[in-house]
Amino acid sequence: MQCGVVMEELAVEVLARREVMALVEVARMEPQAWPDVGDPGSVEEIREAFGRRCWVQYMPHPAGAIEVRETGWVG
């Protein structure tokens, strides 16, 4: 039975990673579409994007790149 539990945890981790990576791609394609959550007066533009069960905090860079600062998973 323990093997089943480990496999279930691995499956959840794989699904979480896929959903986070999909959200990162959405944020990268249109980084300005998500709210800026940086502190007032900050020189960094920090944004957050939200999926159904995950979120990503990132900083947009020129040429379509984003720097992922943090990710989270609900569940």
Side-chain angles (χ1 to χ4, degrees):
M1 189 57 93
Q2 188 172 359
C3 181
V5 171
V6 171
M7 293 301 287
E8 183 178 328
E9 290 173 3
L10 180 59
V12 167
E13 189 174 320
V14 168
L15 290 174
R17 180 179 169 90
R18 283 185 182 169
E19 187 166 333
V20 167
M21 292 307 292
L23 184 55
V24 166
E25 183 61 19
V26 168
R28 189 188 68 76
M29 296 299 290
E30 199 170 349
Q32 304 307 322
W34 302 92
D36 186 350
V37 296
D39 293 328
S42 174
V43 295
E44 294 184 322
E45 180 182 354
I46 305 297
R47 296 185 172 268
E48 289 181 336
F50 298 90
R52 286 185 334 129
R53 295 177 298 225
C54 66
W55 56 271
V56 175
Q57 189 178 73
Y58 64 94
M59 187 170 80
H61 290 284
I66 65 171
E67 176 184 335
V68 176
R69 294 293 188 93
E70 192 172 348
T71 62
W73 175 256
V74 178

